């Protein structure tokens, strides 16, 4: 049987959740026994999101092969087991770069290179790359909103693709908005009608409409949408806003049997019944947690939630594992440097310092880490968090005054963090960091070793700077434990502190490998340690009350 294709588009406004919709559909098809691949087409001209500001784009999601991708690929990995690689995320910049390179080589044999057919052909070729043996369905998400000028080549390409592959092998899912106007006291279907009209002008007739809404859509309005958009009534799917968690989205689709509708329209058999009890269980744990824990999150991009999307999700996964609600207290590291760590962290049960770049807010992060080290507050550092922990320890324990990273101070007398050797001659920013999955050898008996339950693990990286080996002996002599290294021992991958209840930092980004059904071991144990501290503080408070009462 030919591989089937699902194209997910969006209309009316951006940020409706095409990535979550795509991931949820793929998850349900996968759990019905089908092999699914996913990819995201992004219309912006950047070659990848690697050089984009977190305020502009949110986090950069890194894959095993080192590809820097859109954050929606994080949803794909958290919801499914579909393999992802650099062929799963294309931008206009990447598409045009490939076409221009072909033109420079003379591949077009003197022809005038145009958007149609050359750019659209390149887009179609990128879609076909995921059609490999054993793949039943390829799901392609088109970024942006229908009507955007930059997205037009992608819509034209998928229109052509459906003709090439056969309309019976392609399905168009359109995600749209049915807004509620408070003044009028009613839902409005006109934006959806106009969005579908834009698609139909291009030559694309959606087969399924996913209608985002704040309120339940009356049956009459659903029938109206179906009639005016030329879609079967049963293919108009209400998707009401989820109050609790994004992990409710696939359950809503499952209850509406969306995967059965899609399979029927594509002529696909579903090999096995839907198995989703584990997902229902995790949502129940989110709804009715037995415990609560507060995590201080000290970062420089905390005003933009998507900047640390995967870290927040990994904390939620750890909470699910412990039947606990994780309350994240987002703290701007620049403000912390002014008001002081003791005040900012007085009520939290654990401290997490995530990754980042540049010197802004660094001193606030270092102050927060010092507070955690001195008070026994559980601490988890990720990437830059490890580097800041190294700087703090060097300054305040090892006696190396003014120790710093050469990223923040090129003339520091003690560069305890410095540029990777292979980065010394690098001048370009995009795609030139240490990227992708690398093995890490763990120290037996360390907290990291106990968490993983393994001697060697693989984690994804995205960094240029490392702990300077010239200072390792000076640091370890004072209780700084190197608990993880590269196979040759040359790179510090994880650190811990002797005598501290839970103080662990890693150079990698473990948040990328966490799933709601399988919390990452380090996040799990960090939240566990934070819960223990919360419990101890409560018992201490009760003891004080009892003593005072007596």
């Amino acid at each position: 049987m030919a591989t089937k294709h699902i194209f997910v588009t969006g209309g009316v406004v951006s940020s409706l959740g095409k990535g979550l919709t795509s991931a949820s559909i793929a998850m349900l098809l996968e759990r019905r026994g089908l092999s699914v691949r996913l990819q995201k087409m992004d219309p912006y001209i950047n070659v990848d999101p690697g050089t984009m500001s977190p305020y502009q784009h949110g986090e950069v999601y890194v894959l095993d092969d080192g590809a820097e991708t859109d954050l929606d690929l994080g949803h794909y990995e958290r919801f499914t087991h579909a393999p992802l690689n650099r062929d799963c995320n294309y931008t206009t910049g990447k598409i045009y770069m490939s076409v221009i390179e072909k033109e420079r080589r003379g591949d077009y044999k003197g022809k005038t290179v145009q958007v149609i057919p050359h750019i659209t052909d390149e887009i179609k070729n990128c879609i076909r790359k995921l059609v490999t043996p054993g793949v039943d369905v390829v799901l392609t998400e088109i970024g942006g909103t229908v009507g955007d000028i930059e997205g037009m080549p992608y819509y034209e390409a998928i229109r052509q693709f459906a003709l090439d592959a056969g309309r019976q092998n392609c399905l168009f899912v359109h995600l749209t908005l049915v807004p509620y106007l408070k003044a009028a006291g009613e839902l409005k279907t006109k934006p959806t009608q106009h969005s579908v009209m834009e698609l139909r002008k291009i030559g694309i007739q959606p087969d399924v409409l996913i209608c985002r809404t704040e309120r339940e859509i009356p049956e009459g309005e659903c029938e109206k949408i179906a009639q005016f958009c030329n879609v079967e009534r049963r293919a108009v799917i209400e998707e009401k806003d989820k109050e609790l968690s994004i992990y409710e989205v696939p359950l809503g689709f499952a209850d509406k049997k969306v995967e059965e509708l899609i399979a029927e329209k594509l002529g696909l058999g579903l090999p096995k019944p839907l198995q989703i009890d584990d997902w229902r269980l995790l949502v129940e744990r989110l709804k009715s947690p037995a415990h609560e824990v507060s995590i201080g999150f000290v970062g420089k991009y905390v005003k933009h939630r998507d900047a640390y999307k995967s870290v927040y999700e990994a904390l939620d996964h750890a909470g699910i594992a412990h039947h606990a609600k994780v309350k994240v207290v987002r703290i701007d590291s620049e403000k912390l440097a002014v008001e002081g760590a003791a005040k900012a962290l007085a009520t939290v049960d654990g401290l997490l310092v995530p990754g980042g770049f540049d010197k802004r807010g660094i001193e606030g992060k270092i102050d927060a880490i010092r507070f955690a080290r001195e008070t026994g507050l559980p601490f988890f550092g990720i990437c830059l968090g490890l580097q800041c922990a190294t700087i703090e320890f060097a300054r305040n324990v090892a006696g190396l005054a003014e120790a710093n990273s050469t990223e923040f101070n090129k003339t520091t007398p003690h560069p305890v963090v410095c540029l990777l050797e292979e980065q010394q001659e690098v001048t370009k920013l995009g795609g030139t960091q240490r990227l992708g999955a690398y093995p890490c050898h763990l120290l037996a008996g360390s907290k990291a070793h106990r968490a993983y339950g393994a001697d060697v693990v693989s984690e994804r990286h995205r960094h240029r700077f490392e702990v300077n080996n010239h200072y390792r002996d000076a640091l370890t002599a004072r209780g700084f434990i190197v608990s993880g290294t590269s196979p040759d021992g040359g790179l510090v991958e994880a650190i811990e502190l002797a005598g501290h209840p839970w103080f662990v930092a890693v150079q990698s980004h473990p948040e990328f490998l966490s799933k709601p059904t399988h919390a990452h071991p380090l996040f799990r144990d960090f939240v566990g340690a934070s819960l223990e501290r919360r419990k101890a503080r409560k018992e201490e408070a009760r003891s004080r009350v009892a003593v005072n009462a007596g």
Side-chain angles (χ1 to χ4, degrees), residues 241-258:
D241 292 352
K242 299 296 183 284
E243 296 180 2
L244 177 66
S245 168
I246 61 173
Y247 300 124
E248 293 180 278
V249 175
L251 297 182
F253 285 172
D255 292 341
K256 295 179 176 69
K257 301 186 186 305
V258 170

Side-chain angles (χ1 to χ4, degrees), residues 44-48 67-68 86 89-99 122:
Y44 55 77
I45 298 175
N46 302 66
V47 173
D48 57 47
E68 293 176 292
R86 61 184 65 254
N89 192 199
Y90 284 93
T91 65
T92 295
K94 197 175 288 186
I95 297 290
Y96 270 80
M97 179 179 286
S98 177
V99 170
E122 188 69 22

Side-chain angles (χ1 to χ4, degrees), residues 419-434:
L419 203 61
L420 284 160
E421 186 175 345
E422 66 261 27
Q423 293 284 322
Q424 297 290 340
E425 305 302 321
V426 172
T427 56
K428 293 183 179 180
L429 297 180
T432 57
Q433 300 180 76
R434 186 183 185 219

Side-chain angles (χ1 to χ4, degrees), residues 462-480:
R462 184 174 185 254
H463 67 106
R464 298 182 192 279
F465 292 81
E466 63 168 323
V467 174
N468 190 337
N469 286 327
H470 293 300
Y471 289 90
R472 275 168 70 167
D473 289 345
L475 297 176
T476 55
R478 301 301 300 273
F480 187 89

Side-chain angles (χ1 to χ4, degrees), residues 298-301 308 333 352-363 365-366 369 379-392 404-405 407-408 417 462-467 495 505-511:
V298 178
K300 57 203 297 184
Y301 313 118
Y308 301 111
S333 55
L352 192 151
V353 176
F357 298 92
D358 197 41
K359 65 182 180 180
R360 181 175 64 83
I362 292 300
E363 293 303 320
K365 293 187 176 189
I366 292 171
I369 294 169
F379 166 72
F380 187 21
I382 296 173
C383 196
L384 179 60
L386 175 144
Q387 296 170 13
C388 288
T390 303
I391 294 167
E392 190 281 322
N404 215 325
S405 166
E407 180 181 9
F408 316 132
V417 176
R462 184 174 185 254
H463 67 106
R464 298 182 192 279
F465 292 81
E466 63 168 323
V467 174
I495 65 165
V506 292
Q507 186 60 72
S508 60
H509 287 269
E511 66 271 23

